Amino acid sequence: MTSLDSFREQQNVSPGKGFEAFRMDNTKKADVIPDMRTYVGLGSCNCCDYFLIHENKVVLVEETQLADTIKTIEKKYSYLAERHRQDFTVDCVRQENYLKVFGALLVLWRLAAKCREASSLMQDKKHDFYLVITGMETEEARRMFDNLKDNLQKQLQSVLTPEVMDNVEVIPSREILADKLSH
């Protein structure tokens, strides 16, 4: 049986800022940290990047480079009329992320069934979801974020209702996530 510690990963955001989390979706560092999805028997299902315990909540975190994702979707569906493309793009991003949340919840459920330590750690806790937008160095990326944030957050909240997620937020950086977790 693998200990929950084998999934632990220090998330260094900036000097003096960071937090510890448990890696769920691990395709890059499998030689260092096992893939939690595989450990619980789910293969490569969609799920969030990691989770952590903060106060009385299980916090699911997905990091994405929104500008790159949008460009990829728009290129793939360039045949759509401009007026429909933005709505379609937001729908694609929303669907991808709520699938990751539902997949992550399934991974957590299976993890709790397989690992007593995880079960006691997560017992009776509510859930939060943070979609952290990275790669915001360019003006274009910041503009895309500003244009889509509210709509994307509302759409995610409409699917990830309070019965599923206590709180759903789209935030523009890992630094802001670290700040939220430091309180």
Side-chain angles (χ1 to χ4, degrees), residues 46-61:
N46 289 320
C47 78
C48 295
D49 293 320
Y50 49 89
F51 80 91
L52 56 108
I53 304 299
H54 178 65
E55 297 172 349
N56 197 27
K57 295 188 177 190
V58 175
V59 179
L60 298 173
V61 179

Side-chain angles (χ1 to χ4, degrees), residues 101-143:
V101 169
F102 289 137
L105 290 172
L106 179 58
V107 170
L108 290 177
W109 174 72
R110 297 283 304 246
L111 181 66
K114 194 167 184 171
C115 177
R116 183 170 295 153
E117 176 188 8
S119 178
S120 65
L121 188 65
M122 293 184 279
Q123 188 171 8
D124 299 324
K125 291 193 173 29
K126 295 184 177 207
H127 295 81
D128 284 353
F129 172 60
Y130 290 103
L131 178 59
V132 179
I133 309 303
T134 60
M136 301 256 298
E137 292 78 24
T138 68
E139 181 62 34
E140 178 186 20
R142 288 188 294 274
R143 198 173 338 104

Side-chain angles (χ1 to χ4, degrees), residues 117-172:
E117 176 188 8
S119 178
S120 65
L121 188 65
M122 293 184 279
Q123 188 171 8
D124 299 324
K125 291 193 173 29
K126 295 184 177 207
H127 295 81
D128 284 353
F129 172 60
Y130 290 103
L131 178 59
V132 179
I133 309 303
T134 60
M136 301 256 298
E137 292 78 24
T138 68
E139 181 62 34
E140 178 186 20
R142 288 188 294 274
R143 198 173 338 104
M144 280 184 188
F145 174 78
D146 290 341
N147 290 338
L148 293 176
K149 179 194 180 284
D150 292 338
N151 187 15
L152 181 58
Q153 185 164 310
K154 285 177 189 171
Q155 285 193 19
L156 285 168
Q157 288 169 334
S158 74
V159 175
L160 303 171
T161 63
E163 289 76 20
V164 178
M165 288 290 132
D166 196 43
N167 185 36
V168 175
E169 287 189 55
V170 178
I171 57 177

